[in-house]
Amino acid sequence: SDPEGLLTTSGRAAVEKVLRGCPNEVMVALFQSLNHAAAHLNVSWPSRTSPRKRQELIFGLAKLLYNVWKIGGLSGGILYALALQDRVHHLYVGRELLSKLGPDERPA
């Protein structure tokens, strides 16, 4: 999802080509900022936040989108959420795939 049109046509095609080769359902949510994401999702949160709070917000955003979009049947999918201006990202992975991640990759 690129609701703000941040990717070029060729950039979008390149991402889609990579994702097509993945055996699991993978989605990408790309936002200019956490505030823009909040506006698109009709939710609100503070505009000024600490780095730790921004990580909590991107995790919450990823979890929300993963569940709303029912990615991978809610257990076998992957969602990569990125807020460019806030420089935060999160890879949200369904339960079936958690065991494939090493201990360093699992913490939010």
Side-chain angles (χ1 to χ4, degrees):
S1 170
D2 182 15
E4 298 170 350
L6 300 172
L7 288 175
T8 63
T9 302
S10 61
R12 179 182 289 274
V15 169
E16 290 173 354
K17 181 179 178 183
V18 169
L19 296 180
R20 274 195 300 273
C22 185
N24 298 87
E25 184 176 11
V26 179
M27 301 286 288
V28 176
L30 178 63
F31 294 97
Q32 184 175 346
S33 69
L34 288 168
N35 286 333
H36 281 91
H40 282 286
L41 298 169
N42 201 27
V43 296
S44 62
W45 50 57
S47 60
R48 292 180 173 255
T49 57
S50 68
R52 174 77 177 147
K53 186 64 175 174
R54 286 193 297 274
Q55 284 296 348
E56 291 173 10
L57 292 172
I58 196 72
F59 168 79
L61 170 67
K63 183 177 180 179
L64 173 70
L65 291 174
Y66 185 91
N67 290 323
V68 168
W69 292 346
K70 296 178 173 51
I71 299 170
L74 294 177
S75 62
I78 302 164
L79 173 70
Y80 180 67
L82 172 66
L84 292 171
Q85 286 180 355
D86 295 292
R87 302 180 68 139
V88 292
H89 60 103
H90 187 80
L91 186 67
Y92 194 90
V93 178
R95 283 186 304 275
E96 290 177 16
L97 301 175
L98 280 176
S99 64
K100 297 183 184 215
L101 296 177
D104 293 338
E105 290 87 12
R106 291 188 72 167

